[in-house]
PDB file of all heavy atoms in Angstrom:
ATOM      1  N   SER A1504      87.499 167.198 133.358  1.00 97.00           N
ATOM      2  CA  SER A1504      86.543 166.166 133.730  1.00 97.00           C
ATOM      3  C   SER A1504      86.528 165.954 135.245  1.00 97.00           C
ATOM      4  O   SER A1504      85.456 165.852 135.861  1.00 97.00           O
ATOM      5  CB  SER A1504      86.930 164.903 132.960  1.00 97.00           C
ATOM      6  OG  SER A1504      86.262 163.819 133.427  1.00 97.00           O
ATOM      7  N   ALA A1505      87.714 165.936 135.880  1.00 97.00           N
ATOM      8  CA  ALA A1505      87.790 165.765 137.345  1.00 97.00           C
ATOM      9  C   ALA A1505      87.108 166.945 138.044  1.00 97.00           C
ATOM     10  O   ALA A1505      86.393 166.765 139.032  1.00 97.00           O
ATOM     11  CB  ALA A1505      89.250 165.656 137.781  1.00 97.00           C
ATOM     12  N   ALA A1506      87.315 168.138 137.524  1.00 98.00           N
ATOM     13  CA  ALA A1506      86.703 169.326 138.123  1.00 98.00           C
ATOM     14  C   ALA A1506      85.186 169.213 138.088  1.00 98.00           C
ATOM     15  O   ALA A1506      84.508 169.414 139.106  1.00 98.00           O
ATOM     16  CB  ALA A1506      87.160 170.581 137.365  1.00 98.00           C
ATOM     17  N   LEU A1507      84.646 168.877 136.930  1.00 98.00           N
ATOM     18  CA  LEU A1507      83.191 168.790 136.789  1.00 98.00           C
ATOM     19  C   LEU A1507      82.614 167.721 137.718  1.00 98.00           C
ATOM     20  O   LEU A1507      81.550 167.921 138.313  1.00 98.00           O
ATOM     21  CB  LEU A1507      82.821 168.492 135.332  1.00 98.00           C
ATOM     22  CG  LEU A1507      82.975 169.681 134.382  1.00 98.00           C
ATOM     23  CD1 LEU A1507      82.946 169.211 132.932  1.00 98.00           C
ATOM     24  CD2 LEU A1507      81.862 170.713 134.615  1.00 98.00           C
ATOM     25  N   LYS A1508      83.322 166.605 137.851  1.00 97.00           N
ATOM     26  CA  LYS A1508      82.816 165.525 138.722  1.00 97.00           C
ATOM     27  C   LYS A1508      82.719 165.982 140.173  1.00 97.00           C
ATOM     28  O   LYS A1508      81.880 165.509 140.922  1.00 97.00           O
ATOM     29  CB  LYS A1508      83.726 164.295 138.616  1.00 97.00           C
ATOM     30  CG  LYS A1508      83.520 163.534 137.334  1.00 97.00           C
ATOM     31  CD  LYS A1508      84.039 162.103 137.417  1.00 97.00           C
ATOM     32  CE  LYS A1508      83.794 161.404 136.081  1.00 97.00           C
ATOM     33  NZ  LYS A1508      84.973 161.371 135.228  1.00 97.00           N
ATOM     34  N   SER A1509      83.591 166.918 140.575  1.00 97.00           N
ATOM     35  CA  SER A1509      83.560 167.421 141.954  1.00 97.00           C
ATOM     36  C   SER A1509      82.651 168.630 142.109  1.00 97.00           C
ATOM     37  O   SER A1509      82.551 169.192 143.189  1.00 97.00           O
ATOM     38  CB  SER A1509      84.974 167.817 142.392  1.00 97.00           C
ATOM     39  OG  SER A1509      85.805 166.693 142.370  1.00 97.00           O
ATOM     40  N   GLY A1510      82.063 169.081 141.025  1.00 97.00           N
ATOM     41  CA  GLY A1510      81.161 170.226 141.107  1.00 97.00           C
ATOM     42  C   GLY A1510      81.840 171.565 140.891  1.00 97.00           C
ATOM     43  O   GLY A1510      81.237 172.611 141.109  1.00 97.00           O
ATOM     44  N   LEU A1511      83.107 171.539 140.483  1.00 98.00           N
ATOM     45  CA  LEU A1511      83.799 172.796 140.147  1.00 98.00           C
ATOM     46  C   LEU A1511      83.487 173.147 138.702  1.00 98.00           C
ATOM     47  O   LEU A1511      83.434 172.265 137.843  1.00 98.00           O
ATOM     48  CB  LEU A1511      85.321 172.619 140.231  1.00 98.00           C
ATOM     49  CG  LEU A1511      86.068 172.836 141.530  1.00 98.00           C
ATOM     50  CD1 LEU A1511      87.562 172.835 141.234  1.00 98.00           C
ATOM     51  CD2 LEU A1511      85.652 174.123 142.202  1.00 98.00           C
ATOM     52  N   LEU A1512      83.365 174.433 138.432  1.00 98.00           N
ATOM     53  CA  LEU A1512      83.097 174.873 137.064  1.00 98.00           C
ATOM     54  C   LEU A1512      84.424 175.247 136.399  1.00 98.00           C
ATOM     55  O   LEU A1512      85.129 176.125 136.903  1.00 98.00           O
ATOM     56  CB  LEU A1512      82.166 176.091 137.088  1.00 98.00           C
ATOM     57  CG  LEU A1512      80.802 175.821 137.731  1.00 98.00           C
ATOM     58  CD1 LEU A1512      80.055 177.130 137.985  1.00 98.00           C
ATOM     59  CD2 LEU A1512      79.978 174.913 136.838  1.00 98.00           C
ATOM     60  N   PRO A1513      84.795 174.574 135.316  1.00 98.00           N
ATOM     61  CA  PRO A1513      86.092 174.878 134.696  1.00 98.00           C
ATOM     62  C   PRO A1513      86.017 175.909 133.573  1.00 98.00           C
ATOM     63  O   PRO A1513      85.120 175.875 132.736  1.00 98.00           O
ATOM     64  CB  PRO A1513      86.522 173.515 134.122  1.00 98.00           C
ATOM     65  CG  PRO A1513      85.251 172.798 133.834  1.00 98.00           C
ATOM     66  CD  PRO A1513      84.173 173.372 134.736  1.00 98.00           C
ATOM     67  N   ILE A1514      86.981 176.831 133.573  1.00 98.00           N
ATOM     68  CA  ILE A1514      87.232 177.640 132.377  1.00 98.00           C
ATOM     69  C   ILE A1514      88.334 176.908 131.625  1.00 98.00           C
ATOM     70  O   ILE A1514      89.459 176.762 132.121  1.00 98.00           O
ATOM     71  CB  ILE A1514      87.686 179.068 132.720  1.00 98.00           C
ATOM     72  CG1 ILE A1514      86.614 179.809 133.517  1.00 98.00           C
ATOM     73  CG2 ILE A1514      88.010 179.842 131.425  1.00 98.00           C
ATOM     74  CD1 ILE A1514      86.952 181.271 133.851  1.00 98.00           C
ATOM     75  N   VAL A1515      87.995 176.390 130.465  1.00 98.00           N
ATOM     76  CA  VAL A1515      88.942 175.610 129.659  1.00 98.00           C
ATOM     77  C   VAL A1515      89.616 176.563 128.680  1.00 98.00           C
ATOM     78  O   VAL A1515      88.969 177.109 127.786  1.00 98.00           O
ATOM     79  CB  VAL A1515      88.194 174.505 128.881  1.00 98.00           C
ATOM     80  CG1 VAL A1515      89.155 173.759 127.981  1.00 98.00           C
ATOM     81  CG2 VAL A1515      87.460 173.566 129.829  1.00 98.00           C
TER      82      VAL A1515
END
Side-chain angles (χ1 to χ4, degrees):
S1504 168
L1507 285 165
K1508 284 199 180 99
S1509 298
L1511 272 190
L1512 299 168
I1514 299 183
V1515 176

